[in-house]
Amino acid sequence: MTSQAAPGQACPAHHGRTPLYGPEFAADPAATYQALREHGPVAPVELAPGVPASLVVGYSAALEVLRNPSAFPRDPRQWQAKMPPDCPVLPMMMYRPNCLFTDGAQHARLRAVVTDSLARVDANALRANVERTADRLIARFAPDGEADLLAQYARLLPLMIYNHLYGCPPQLGDRLVAAMRAVFDMVEPEKANAELTRCMVELVALKRRQPDQDMPSWMMAHPARLTDEELIHQLVLLMGAGTEPEQNLIANGIRLLLSDDRFAGSLSGGSLPVEEALDEVLWTDPPMANYSASYPVEDTDFAGVRLPAAEPVVISFAAANNDPALAGQQRSGNRAHLAWSAGVHSCPAQQPARLIASVAMEKILDALPDMRLAVPVEELVWRPGPFHRALDALPVRFTPVAVPVPSDESPGETRWNAQPTPSSSTPPAVTSTPSPPPSPHGARRRWWSSLAGWLRGR
């Protein structure tokens, strides 16, 4: 076995560990992952100055860790006790009583609340809400001929959708997402984490007083009987997973469609549809590039290295997905990537996340068919940070066009699943006028086909 801190490895300035922070890593993480592979499937890194970790860069090794929670448990409290309170990665990695940082029976109980509540979200209603929200956002900048699609579209759309799913007043929703963004960016992490907690406390108090047909109210009514603390932390987890990574998925997908010749083809060029572009992004540039930390309970020999007890073992979804051992595999239609993680901790909201991203991409390309990047793709700036793959801006230009603003939502436009949750004895959600059914799942869509209209569907 070799030590991960052996002299001469990686960057000597960082005690043999490669930093996963700063503008150099943000600009070209693939080069970092390639260098880390020289260590084997697991490599020594720093998540922040003075915060060592082991990064799993091999696909098979990542699956082995993700599928073995008994050897690689998620509870970070032993590690956390050694970290200073202002550690910049602490808000993203600190223990919270939610289904991400727990294992065994506690994890199963908390995850059931999340999955059962997500099951009550009607896919048709969600699609209609995303389409309406996208139309409203596009109508704001379509007459201008230029826009920053990150700030004016990809960032706002998930926020507005989650405000709706949470039954959240807009002002509180703005504060929630601002705090979550600061947590991801490691900007004043203590302050951001405190504001995030305050916002969730306010939301839970509101829903205790005024329950409604929304995610917080359903989670409160679940037979698992979450405490307020548990409820707050499940909501933080869902908000974190559903806004910041979702905006990155949308923006990274649009960037790919506008910059890759395989997608930016002519009518006869045989380009790939939006769903396949999404798969490409989830393979090559997943919105959460490195995460899912686990903490061995004792020193562990794994994949040729010694993993110290209670030191983070972080999965690099981006590096594992692009493991040279997978070279030659067909990726079109292949969803064996690890962008959603794997095992018992895999993302429970994969289907809603794909739906939101695909509809968002379809709507913008439909409305602005001649849209193009305003700068060369290599000049786009990526936000620093060890966890996400996130653009700082996505400037585009297009022919100005007037887009009709949808009318205000009527009560009949929103419908939740009328079926009770699998383990719930609570009454089903109230329904109203159903949304039209989506088009068949397998319909192929080409991004240039605006004049003919988009074929709706997943």
Side-chain angles (χ1 to χ4, degrees), residues 278-342:
L278 266 181
D279 285 331
E280 178 77 7
V281 167
L282 290 167
W283 275 103
T284 59
D285 266 326
M288 289 298 291
N290 307 294
Y291 202 51
S292 292
S294 57
Y295 305 83
V297 294
E298 58 186 9
D299 289 356
T300 301
D301 293 332
F302 177 77
V305 298
R306 173 61 61 91
L307 303 177
E311 184 176 284
V313 177
V314 177
I315 303 299
S316 179
F317 304 120
N321 283 349
N322 293 283
D323 188 335
L326 302 179
Q329 285 198 10
Q330 174 64 37
R331 291 191 171 183
S332 178
N334 183 349
R335 297 183 181 176
H337 55 73
L338 300 181
W340 309 116
S341 191

Side-chain angles (χ1 to χ4, degrees), residues 70 91 110 197 207 219 231 261 272 336 342 388 429 444 454-455 457:
S70 59
L110 296 175
T197 301
K207 294 304 171 181
M219 293 168 76
L231 178 60
D261 289 341
L272 302 174
H388 55 205
R444 291 180 61 86
W454 285 98
L455 297 174

